[in-house]
Amino acid sequence: DIQMTQSPSSVSASVGDRVTITCRASQGIGTWLAWYQQKPGQAPKLLIYTASSLQSGVPSRFSGSGSGTDFTLTISNLQPEDFATYHCQQADSFPYSFGQGTKLEIK
Amino acid sequence: QITLKESGPTVVKPTQTLTLTCTFSGFSFSTIGVTVGWIRQPPGKALEWLAVIYWDDDKRYTPSLEGRLTITKDTSKNQVVLTVTNMDPVDTATYYCAHRQSGVRVFDIWGQGTMVTVSS
């Protein structure tokens, strides 16, 4: 199985800041990487697919990049509604494993 | 508009079999490319991909639970059923079903999830 490792596990930031979250795959996955946002008590919401494609309806302050084994999710101009947990998922080979999550907290 | 909703027991005893049903609307397994999957999340822990079923009845399971998982579909009822045998307290989790976006292999629409506790 492909292992997905996110860093940091948690991060504190303020409204208006720019934040970057990293996801590393244990082997190359091309650009088969997705990012999800999850708020407490809610299901995950798809933000980014194929590493850098923005899902319809997701604000443009969210962006993704990377290929192979290293990927980043960047959130620019943080808004109050962005404080949540973010998960990466590889979709290169079964099982389509997830990272352990990164909790974005208000500073 | 695509929606999915999970249903099933909230509590099961150790060694019992869990049966969860995902009832959806807004799409059909009669359409080529349609895929539905199950994912779970223990309290405070990471998401875990469990299984998917395709419009042509092909199936994939996570190896860590293969042998205990069965995924089936009922096209006429717009339902997907996941069974998990020999439940254990470590299987306590919120179980989600989700629609997989065709061509990009990601889950674009998720159900609200159903919390299942394994306890005697």
Side-chain angles (χ1 to χ4, degrees):
Chain A
D1 296 4
I2 298 175
Q3 306 303 314
M4 306 300 293
T5 304
Q6 289 181 233
S7 60
S9 296
S10 64
V11 59
S12 297
S14 302
V15 173
D17 284 354
R18 175 185 171 113
V19 168
T20 297
I21 298 169
T22 297
C23 182
R24 175 164 288 176
S26 60
Q27 64 189 69
I29 59 171
T31 58
W32 291 110
L33 192 283
W35 290 97
Y36 299 86
Q37 176 194 67
Q38 186 178 29
K39 297 180 180 179
Q42 296 185 17
K45 171 189 172 184
L46 177 65
L47 299 175
I48 302 279
Y49 60 93
T50 55
S52 60
S53 299
L54 196 66
Q55 176 69 355
S56 176
V58 175
S60 59
R61 62 180 181 272
F62 291 91
S63 63
S65 65
S67 66
T69 60
D70 294 312
F71 302 86
T72 59
L73 171 69
T74 299
I75 313 170
S76 302
N77 187 23
L78 273 171
Q79 298 299 298
E81 60 268 29
D82 299 336
F83 292 93
T85 298
Y86 293 85
H87 307 272
C88 64
Q89 181 199 17
Q90 65 85 14
D92 178 69
S93 60
F94 293 112
Y96 289 169
S97 43
F98 292 86
Q100 81 278 17
T102 295
K103 187 174 184 179
L104 174 56
E105 299 174 301
I106 300 174
K107 185 182 289 184
Chain B
Q1 179 191 6
I2 291 175
T3 64
L4 306 98
K5 187 173 183 179
E6 307 86 353
S7 60
T10 56
V11 180
V12 297
K13 290 181 167 48
T15 75
Q16 286 187 335
T17 294
L18 171 68
T19 300
L20 295 173
T21 301
C22 174
T23 304
F24 58 83
S25 63
F27 65 96
S28 170
F29 274 115
S30 300
T31 302
I32 292 173
V34 166
T35 308
V36 172
W38 286 92
I39 307 97
R40 72 180 181 181
Q41 185 175 36
K45 295 189 178 181
L47 296 163
E48 180 180 17
W49 187 98
L50 298 179
V52 290
I53 187 164
Y54 297 85
W55 79 100
D56 61 359
D57 213 37
D58 193 13
K59 303 160 189 178
R60 294 286 186 271
Y61 298 99
T62 181
S64 64
L65 292 172
E66 197 153 11
R68 295 180 56 208
L69 298 178
T70 303
I71 190 170
T72 59
K73 63 179 175 59
D74 186 326
T75 302
S76 64
K77 292 183 179 179
N78 281 353
Q79 290 181 333
V80 173
V81 174
L82 179 75
T83 61
V84 187
T85 60
N86 195 24
M87 291 288 283
D88 182 271
V90 300
D91 297 312
T92 294
T94 297
Y95 287 75
Y96 297 98
C97 65
H99 171 269
R100 203 186 81 158
Q101 188 167 308
S102 181
V104 293
R105 309 179 184 178
V106 296
F107 295 118
D108 60 340
I109 308 293
W110 294 56
Q112 64 189 24
T114 186
M115 177 67 192
V116 178
T117 300
V118 184
S119 174
S120 55

